[in-house]
């Protein structure tokens, strides 16, 4: 049991850094807003309450490929993402969603690489998806090619800051930018 706990802590902490829920300081947006009670920022407010009527959940309108996005305001190494589903109804509205992580806003961020696919999360349940230190400023959740509602109550994104040199695709360009 002790070794299992040590392994989990090592996985979440890395060798010299602690991953924190960086979503809390992010800025949320969405493709559509079901109603004023269902703002994108509700999903990053730190409140795990799975009851939509309490005002801490997100929901899109029914549409083709609904999406939700958080701008983390800088690039992070993303260890894992935890998604809490609604507990009052509609558990299947998130089934088939993709979790994307990257630095691009092309197609509203929906072209970024996939961290995970949501198969199912029970009513009020929380599921963890490992992203294995994918780097990105934006995290999207999208129902690609599917018409319907997208709804959930909380997204926790555990990440560590990326040094500027580490986030550059071309080290020569980065060193030129610093001059």
């Amino acid at each position: 049991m002790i070794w299992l706990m040590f392994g989990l802590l090592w996985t979440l902490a890395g060798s010299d850094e602690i991953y924190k829920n960086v979503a809390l300081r992010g800025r949320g947006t969405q493709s559509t807003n079901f109603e004023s009670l269902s703002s994108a920022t509700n999903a990053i407010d730190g409140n795990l309450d799975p009851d939509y009527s309490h005002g801490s959940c997100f929901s899109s309108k029914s549409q083709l490929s609904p999406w939700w996005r958080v701008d983390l305001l800088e690039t992070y190494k993303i260890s894992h993402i935890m998604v809490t589903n609604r507990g009052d109804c509609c558990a299947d509205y998130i089934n088939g969603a993709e979790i994307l992580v990257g630095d691009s806003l092309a197609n509203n961020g929906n072209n970024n690489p996939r961290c995970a696919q949501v198969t199912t999360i029970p009513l009020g349940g929380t599921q963890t998806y490992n992203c294995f230190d994918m780097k990105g400023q934006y995290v999207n959740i999208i129902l690609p090619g599917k018409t319907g509602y997208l709804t959930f109550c909380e997204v926790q994104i555990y990440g560590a800051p990326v040094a500027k040199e580490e986030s550059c695709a071309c080290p020569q360009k980065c060193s030129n930018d610093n001059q």
Side-chain angles (χ1 to χ4, degrees):
M1 180 67 163
I2 292 173
W3 287 108
L4 179 62
M5 289 175 57
F6 178 76
L8 178 61
L9 287 174
W10 182 262
T11 299
L12 297 180
S15 59
D16 62 353
E17 56 200 351
I18 301 294
Y19 292 97
K20 296 179 180 148
N21 182 3
V22 296
L24 295 172
R25 62 183 286 276
R27 295 195 178 120
T29 191
Q30 70 274 341
S31 55
T32 59
N33 193 2
F34 180 68
E35 60 185 13
S36 61
L37 187 64
S38 62
S39 167
T41 58
N42 290 352
I44 52 172
D45 63 1
N47 185 345
L48 299 176
D49 185 345
D51 188 323
Y52 178 85
S53 67
H54 295 165
S56 186
C57 297
F58 153 78
S59 182
S60 72
K61 292 180 180 176
S62 181
Q63 67 178 110
L64 177 63
S65 300
W67 56 267
W68 171 92
R69 180 181 70 234
V70 62
D71 178 351
L72 301 173
L73 307 178
E74 63 184 280
T75 299
Y76 287 91
K77 286 189 291 188
I78 307 299
S79 165
H80 62 286
I81 296 173
M82 299 171 72
V83 179
T84 301
N85 204 1
R86 283 180 61 169
D88 55 330
C89 80
C90 319
D92 61 331
Y93 284 11
I94 196 166
N95 294 355
E98 293 184 353
I99 301 172
L100 312 174
V101 175
D103 285 324
S104 173
L105 279 176
N107 188 26
N108 293 303
N110 293 316
N111 293 345
N112 282 319
R114 184 169 77 181
C115 160
Q117 183 165 13
V118 177
T119 54
T120 185
I121 303 174
L123 278 174
T126 299
Q127 184 70 39
T128 301
Y129 302 92
N130 290 314
C131 295
F132 304 103
D133 287 344
M134 289 179 73
K135 293 181 181 80
Q137 176 175 340
Y138 306 103
V139 173
N140 285 43
I141 299 179
I142 181 172
L143 281 172
K146 191 173 171 185
T147 298
Y149 296 91
L150 176 63
T151 186
F152 45 86
C153 292
E154 192 69 19
V155 178
Q156 300 170 72
I157 303 167
Y158 288 87
V162 173
K164 181 173 178 151
E165 302 78 37
E166 192 178 347
S167 67
C168 284
C170 174
Q172 180 65 31
K173 181 179 179 335
C174 288
S175 62
N176 291 340
D177 288 346
N178 292 328
Q179 295 176 1

